Amino acid sequence: MRSVVLTKGVPDFSEGAVSFDEDGHLERGKTPTVMNPNDEVALGAALQTKVRHGGHVTGVSMGPPGYASVLEEAMESVYADDSYLLSDRELAASDTWATAITLCSGLEKYQEEIADIDLVFAGFKTADGETGQTGPQTAWALEWPIVTHVLALDIDPDERVLRAKRLVEGDIDEIETVEAPLPCVVIADPEFSPTYRTASHRLTHKRLRTETQARAADHEDHLTTWNHEDLNLDPDYIGLDGSPTIVSSVDPIPKAPSERDATMIEPGDEDGMGQVLEELGAYAGGD
Amino acid sequence: MATSKRTRADDEYEHYEAVVVGCGPGGAAAAARFADHGVETLVLERGPEAGSKNVSGGLIYAEESAPYTIDDLFENFREEASERPVTDYEIHNISGNKVKTYDLTDLHEHDTEWCDAVLRRPMDSWLEQRVHEKTSETGGGVLTDVRVDGLLRENGEIVGVTCDELDPITADIVVAADGVNSELARDAGLMDWEDPDEWFQGVKATVEMDAETIADRFGIDDDEGVAHLFSGDLFDDVRGGGFLYTNEDSLSIGTVFHLDSLVAEQAEPHELLDSLLTHPLLAQWFRDEYHEREYAAKLVPDSKKVAHREPYRDRLVLVGDAAGQMQAQGPIIKGMNHAVSAGALAADAYVVSRGNADPESVGRRYTKMLERSGTMEKLRPRRYDLARTVGEHDAVANAVDRVLESPIGSVAIGNPLSKRAMKLAYNSPFLVSMLPDTATGYVTLPSIIGEEHGRTIHWDNEIEPPSLEERIGELTYDTDVGNPHIHLRDDSAEASGAAVYACPVSAEDFGGGCYRSETVRANGSEETLVSLDTQPCVECGTCAVVADTDWEHPRGGKGVEFREG
C-alpha cells in the first residue's frame, strides 16, 4: 500500500503565537508557520493504513522552502518514509485551482518515476484559506474517485477497494458506508480517529515510531524538492497567472458593540467600591 | 509488511505464546526469561511507562541463595538502573527524645550478595526498555497504556486476557505480574482483599538532597549508601516502623504499618510519616532544609500470611506482589528480589512443561520450583506458622507486654548483658522471622531499649513537611473524567468509615481527599456517611481492604503517574 499525504503550512493561529496589526490584519512575517491542524487527521488516517497494511507513506506539500519544516513535522507524526516539496517562485500566490494542478503534476511525476500511488489523503480544509477545495480539485485533476468526510476506513488490499464510513451532515446527521476502488483520494473528517485494537497493530505502531524518530532527525536526507521545470509546468498556468480566483480584499469583522455600559473602578477606590456594594446589594439573596 | 498474526482456529482473537501482565521486576524477569527461551512474548503495562504506577521503599536485594537475581537477567542493572548500594545498616530504637542505635549490618548481609536502593520510575522504565528489546526479537514486545481488566475464559477455562484498550488476546501461558492489587489474581479467585491483618501499608516521601550534601551529612562516598530503620514510640501504638535510604541525589523516607493496626488506632498515615520526618533524630540530616519531591503510598502483602502456596489456575500463574510474595524479615522487607525469582521460574516452568496437554502442568511445575529453590520457605516460613499460634494470641502478647513494661522487665532488657543480646537477636534471621506481629516487637521493645539504653537527642527538628493538600497537589494525574475506577458499595460509616483515615490521601476534616465523612440530617435524625472522589487516588488499594468498594485500576494510562516511585 503506497499512500501520499497532502499537507500545508499555515499561520499558527494559537493564542500567543499569532500576530495581528492594528487594523486586525494577520502579520504573516511575525506569525510562525505550522502544519495545518486538519492535516493531522489526514496523517492519522494514513498512519492507520500503514500500521494495518504496511507499505510506504510520502508527505507532499507545495509552498516556500520553509515548508520543509512542516513536512518534517508530518514525517514525525505519520511516520512517513520520505517527503516531497513542490517549491518555486513561479508557484507563489496560487489559488486552489493552480495548487491542485501543481499537486496533480507532482503526483503524476511521482507515479512515473517512483511508484504507483494507491491512496492520497488530505485534510478537510486549511486553517487560513478555509476553502476545502484543494483536495477535491486534485482528485478531479488526477481523474480519481474521492471520498470525503471520512470517519473510519477499512481497506481490502487484495480486492483493491476501500470501504469508508462518511459523515453526512444535515437536519439529521447520518453515517453512510461507501466503497471506492483504488487508487482513490480520501478526505478525512475532523472527527476521524484511528483505532488500534490489536496488540500486533500497537507493536507495529511502536516500531514505526522508533524508526521514524531516527529518520526525522535527518529529514533533509529524505526530502526532495521539485521546481516548476522539474514538474514541466507552464508558468502561465500556475502561480498568480494561473489562478482564476483573486482575493480582492480582506475585511476584518468589526467587533460587536458592547450591549452594556461598563464603569471601571480601581480596587483602591473606596468610594467606588462602596458604590459597587450598593449596586450589588439589590441582587444579594438569602439572609 | 504488516505482521499477520497467527490466530486461533476460530480466527477470533490474536494469540501470543506468552502474555505477561505488568512490567515491574516480576513481569520483566518473566518476559526476559521467556525471550531467552525464544518464546513469543507480549508484555502489557497499564502505566504510560513502566514504573509510573510502582512504589517501593525501596531496597532491592540479590540473595546468594536465590535462583535468580535481577543482574543475572539484566546486564548492567546496578550501573544503570539502581541508586546507591547499602553499605551501612542501622536500626534506631526510639523513646521520646532518647535513641538507641544498633548496627543491623549482620542481618542485612545475611545471604546478601548485594543490595541497592532504587527508585521505581527510573528502575522500571529502564527494565521496560530492555524487556522490549529482548521480546521484540522473539515476535513480541512491551505495550504501555494497556490495562488488562480480566481473564478470557473458554468453557470455564482460562485461555487469555481481556483489556480495556485491546480486543481479547489468547495465550498458552498468562503471567499475572500486575501487582499488589492484581485484578487477575482476584478474577481467578486466588487472592482477596478481606483481612486488614494480612497487609502492611507504606507511605513514602522522596526528599531532594544533592550527592555532595548526602556525602557530607551521612559521611559516605559516592559509591556508598545507608539504610536506617526507626521503631519505638514515635508512632504512638501503631505497629510498624520507619525507614530512610540514600539514593543518588535524594532520600527515600517512609513508614510501614500493619493495616489492621492503622485501622484500630484510627491513625492518619501521612501524620505518622510526619512524626518520623520531624523527629529530632532526623535533624542531623535535614539541617532545616526539606524539599519533598513526591509523596507516594503502597499496600504491601504480608507473605507470611498470604503468599499463595499454589499460585496458579489453568494457564495463569501469579508472580510477585500479585501472589503475595513480599517477605517481611523482621524489620527488613524483601519483595522485588522474590518477584524476580518467581517471574524467571514461571517462565522456566513453562518452557519445561511446553507441549504438555494439561494446562495446569506449568503451574504445578512453577509451584515445585518455588519450593525447591527455597523461595517459598522464605516467604512462608514453617516456623512462623508454629510461632504465630502462640505469639499472636492476645492473652500471651498482653502478658509479655506487661512483664516488659514492669520495672523488672525494663531492668532485664536494660542490663548490659541484654544490650548485647538484643543486638544479636535483631541480627538473627531466625529470631526475627519468629517475631510475632504484636505491638511487642514494634513498639514496646524498641521503646524500652530506647528508654533504658538510649542517648537523649538535643537537636531541634524545625522542618515543616508539606500538608496533605500540598502533597496531592504535587502529584501528576491524568484523570479519567466521568469514569471513576472505585465505587463505594456501602457508604455507611461502619462499612467504609475506616477509609477516611486509613487512605493515605484522605484525612478527617480534609475536603480534598478521596474519602470524606459527611453528616447528613434526614427526618430529624443525624447520620454520618462516607463519600468518595477518586481524583486524588494513588491506587494503593487500602480502601479495597478497609472499606466496602468495587475496586478496579483506572484505564490504561489514566490515574496517578509517579515520577520517582
Side-chain angles (χ1 to χ4, degrees):
Chain A
M1 202 58 48
R2 186 167 285 255
S3 306
V4 165
V5 188
L6 303 180
T7 182
K8 182 177 188 249
V10 295
D12 185 352
F13 287 105
S14 61
E15 213 171 311
V18 69
S19 178
F20 294 101
D21 68 13
E22 283 174 3
D23 299 329
H25 291 286
L26 178 73
E27 293 187 293
R28 284 210 95 123
K30 289 189 183 172
T31 304
T33 298
V34 294
M35 186 172 65
N36 176 43
N38 272 322
D39 293 352
E40 286 174 24
V41 185
L43 294 165
L47 176 55
Q48 178 186 286
T49 307
K50 181 170 179 173
V51 167
R52 290 188 183 177
H53 305 285
H56 188 104
V57 178
T58 297
V60 173
S61 188
M62 186 193 95
Y67 276 28
S69 68
V70 174
L71 283 166
E72 186 179 335
E73 196 183 334
M75 176 175 278
E76 281 172 12
S77 61
V78 78
Y79 310 158
D81 297 88
D82 49 18
S83 307
Y84 286 79
L85 179 62
L86 315 183
S87 187
D88 196 316
R89 281 184 187 283
E90 297 287 349
L91 297 169
S94 292
D95 67 359
T96 61
W97 178 266
T99 304
I101 296 291
T102 309
L103 287 172
C104 175
S105 303
L107 296 178
E108 281 173 347
K109 180 178 169 71
Y110 185 99
Q111 296 220 86
E112 279 162 25
E113 296 179 7
I114 312 217
D116 283 342
I117 299 166
D118 299 302
L119 284 159
V120 171
F121 291 93
F124 170 48
K125 60 183 184 184
T126 57
D128 52 355
E130 298 252 348
T131 65
Q133 292 167 359
T134 306
Q137 284 172 340
T138 306
W140 173 85
L142 285 165
E143 297 182 24
W144 286 8
I146 179 166
V147 186
T148 57
H149 298 283
V150 171
L151 291 175
L153 192 61
D154 195 17
I155 292 157
D156 188 333
D158 301 330
E159 297 285 321
R160 292 198 55 74
V161 64
L162 72 79
R163 274 172 218 92
K165 285 194 172 29
R166 38 189 317 267
L167 180 67
V168 186
E169 288 182 330
D171 291 341
I172 302 167
D173 286 356
E174 290 178 333
I175 292 172
E176 65 178 31
T177 304
V178 298
E179 268 190 20
L182 300 181
C184 181
V185 175
V186 173
I187 312 290
D189 189 89
E191 298 291 309
F192 180 96
S193 98
T195 52
Y196 304 103
R197 292 286 308 175
T198 67
S200 56
H201 285 162
R202 291 211 180 191
L203 287 171
T204 305
H205 192 283
K206 186 169 174 173
R207 178 173 52 76
L208 291 175
R209 183 173 58 217
T210 315
E211 288 171 8
T212 309
Q213 277 162 355
R215 200 161 51 230
D218 310 310
H219 183 248
E220 276 179 24
D221 297 347
H222 303 278
L223 173 71
T224 307
T225 304
W226 284 337
N227 61 23
H228 84 275
E229 282 167 0
D230 296 325
L231 296 171
N232 197 21
L233 284 166
D234 183 337
D236 288 346
Y237 292 91
I238 55 170
L240 189 61
D241 293 343
S243 294
T245 49
I246 301 292
V247 178
S248 57
S249 72
V250 175
D251 298 322
I253 299 170
K255 278 186 185 166
S258 59
E259 290 174 8
R260 278 172 286 193
D261 292 332
T263 312
M264 300 291 283
I265 292 167
E266 296 295 321
D269 175 1
E270 282 187 25
D271 289 348
M273 291 305 280
Q275 211 178 324
V276 172
L277 288 175
E278 212 167 289
E279 292 269 339
L280 290 176
Y283 301 98
D287 38 8
Chain B
M1 274 311 293
T3 47
S4 73
K5 291 289 309 166
R6 182 162 64 90
T7 53
R8 290 175 68 77
D10 56 16
D11 209 31
E12 201 179 349
Y13 302 128
E14 264 193 2
H15 179 88
Y16 285 82
E17 193 172 0
V19 167
V20 177
V21 183
C23 196
R33 277 309 279 166
F34 276 132
D36 289 344
H37 291 301
V39 175
E40 176 198 55
T41 307
L42 176 67
V43 183
L44 300 173
E45 161 62 43
R46 72 187 177 90
E49 184 179 61
S52 60
K53 296 293 185 181
N54 303 67
V55 177
S56 69
L59 299 181
I60 186 164
Y61 281 83
E63 291 186 329
E64 281 158 9
S65 63
Y68 288 97
T69 62
I70 196 152
D71 59 333
D72 290 341
L73 300 170
F74 299 97
E75 217 173 296
N76 298 331
F77 172 85
R78 298 190 70 197
E79 291 79 359
E80 294 174 16
S82 74
E83 303 286 323
R84 291 168 185 265
V86 174
T87 49
D88 179 25
Y89 210 117
E90 296 176 7
I91 187 164
H92 305 279
N93 297 281
I94 296 172
S95 173
N97 279 5
K98 293 178 91 178
V99 178
K100 176 65 194 173
T101 301
Y102 289 129
D103 187 332
L104 273 191
T105 308
D106 288 350
L107 175 62
H108 168 68
E109 288 184 349
H110 169 77
D111 195 27
T112 300
E113 193 183 314
W114 54 263
C115 169
D116 288 353
V118 292
L119 289 168
R120 295 295 297 277
R121 182 66 183 267
M123 169 182 141
D124 293 29
S125 58
W126 183 89
L127 288 174
E128 179 198 322
Q129 298 291 327
R130 304 288 89 73
V131 169
H132 185 67
E133 285 160 16
K134 281 175 185 258
T135 50
S136 294
E137 283 171 19
T138 55
V142 181
L143 290 179
T144 54
D145 296 305
V146 176
R147 168 182 166 247
V148 173
D149 63 356
L151 294 162
L152 180 70
R153 291 181 171 85
E154 208 173 70
N155 304 321
E157 187 191 307
I158 297 163
V159 295
V161 294
T162 59
C163 315
D164 276 347
E165 291 78 15
L166 301 178
D167 295 335
I169 300 162
T170 59
D172 297 335
I173 170 87
V174 177
V175 177
D178 50 344
V180 66
N181 299 308
S182 169
E183 288 177 68
L184 296 190
R186 280 160 187 86
D187 188 337
L190 295 170
M191 298 290 279
D192 64 38
W193 274 306
E194 299 300 321
D195 296 320
D197 77 347
E198 294 174 345
W199 305 90
F200 302 94
Q201 184 209 65
V203 295
K204 183 175 92 163
T206 309
V207 181
E208 185 96 28
M209 191 175 280
D210 62 58
E212 211 172 296
T213 312
I214 289 175
D216 178 42
R217 308 250 165 107
F218 292 90
I220 51 176
D221 289 335
D222 279 352
D223 54 355
E224 294 176 326
V226 304
H228 290 276
L229 300 179
F230 308 89
S231 65
D233 64 2
L234 77 170
F235 307 117
D236 299 319
D237 284 328
V238 192
R239 282 183 284 122
F243 61 84
L244 178 154
Y245 308 135
T246 47
N247 302 314
E248 297 284 355
D249 60 357
S250 63
L251 306 177
S252 291
I253 306 178
T255 46
V256 183
F257 296 99
H258 281 271
L259 189 54
D260 57 326
S261 182
L262 277 175
V263 171
E265 303 295 333
Q266 304 203 354
E268 297 279 2
H270 67 285
E271 289 177 1
L272 294 170
L273 174 64
D274 291 347
S275 301
L276 173 61
L277 292 170
T278 56
H279 191 275
L281 180 60
L282 275 75
Q284 58 180 317
W285 300 309
F286 292 147
R287 313 257 173 100
D288 297 338
E289 289 166 42
Y290 185 83
H291 174 67
E292 197 170 294
R293 279 197 203 163
E294 186 172 85
Y295 172 75
K298 183 190 186 314
L299 212 55
V300 181
D302 185 351
S303 72
K304 293 194 295 295
K305 296 168 181 168
V306 296
H308 206 291
R309 291 195 184 281
E310 294 182 328
Y312 67 90
R313 176 143 306 163
D314 302 336
R315 292 161 205 277
L316 172 76
V317 297
L318 314 179
V319 309
D321 269 8
Q325 294 165 345
M326 172 78 80
Q327 177 197 10
Q329 189 182 53
I332 291 179
I333 292 183
K334 293 180 173 177
M336 290 177 271
N337 59 319
H338 295 310
V340 168
S341 291
L345 291 177
D348 291 348
Y350 169 76
V351 173
V352 178
S353 318
R354 192 152 45 172
N356 190 318
D358 178 1
E360 289 204 329
S361 59
V362 180
R364 278 198 303 273
R365 174 78 62 165
Y366 166 56
T367 302
K368 234 175 243 167
M369 289 169 126
L370 282 175
E371 284 165 7
R372 282 190 195 149
S373 63
T375 310
M376 190 52 79
E377 176 57 24
K378 290 175 193 164
L379 295 168
R380 292 200 77 145
R382 258 179 294 268
R383 58 175 181 270
Y384 171 78
D385 283 345
L386 296 175
R388 179 189 187 188
T389 48
V390 185
E392 279 171 33
H393 195 276
D394 285 351
V396 177
N398 289 343
V400 172
D401 274 1
R402 241 175 282 129
V403 172
L404 288 171
E405 280 164 4
S406 72
I408 300 167
S410 297
V411 169
I413 295 175
N415 80 39
L417 258 181
S418 75
K419 205 165 154 183
R420 258 189 73 230
M422 281 312 300
K423 189 187 164 190
L424 286 175
Y426 260 122
N427 276 299
S428 157
F430 175 76
L431 279 176
V432 293
S433 73
M434 293 218 318
L435 262 187
D437 288 332
T438 65
T440 311
Y442 288 105
V443 184
T444 318
L445 266 180
S447 309
I448 293 171
I449 295 167
E451 181 64 34
E452 298 296 328
H453 297 293
R455 276 193 205 155
T456 305
I457 306 273
H458 295 289
W459 298 300
D460 285 324
N461 186 337
E462 283 170 6
I463 63 137
E464 279 183 34
S467 67
L468 190 52
E469 186 173 16
E470 289 166 330
R471 283 171 165 156
I472 293 169
E474 283 298 312
L475 287 168
T476 306
Y477 294 97
D478 182 353
T479 306
D480 195 358
V481 180
N483 189 19
H485 62 283
I486 308 169
H487 292 277
L488 203 51
R489 270 205 306 235
D490 185 339
D491 63 358
S492 70
E494 301 79 61
S496 300
V500 179
Y501 45 85
C503 165
V505 286
S506 303
E508 290 286 0
D509 303 320
F510 172 51
C514 280
Y515 287 89
R516 305 120 191 230
S517 353
E518 288 169 358
T519 306
V520 181
R521 280 177 223 156
N523 300 331
S525 69
E526 236 182 45
E527 200 183 357
T528 303
L529 294 180
V530 178
S531 69
L532 166 65
D533 170 9
T534 57
Q535 198 282 324
C537 178
V538 289
E539 299 161 32
C540 68
T542 299
C543 61
V545 184
V546 305
D548 191 0
T549 62
D550 283 322
W551 203 103
E552 291 184 338
H553 288 112
R555 284 193 297 143
K558 296 292 179 184
V560 71
E561 182 184 337
F562 292 115
R563 310 246 173 225
E564 308 284 336

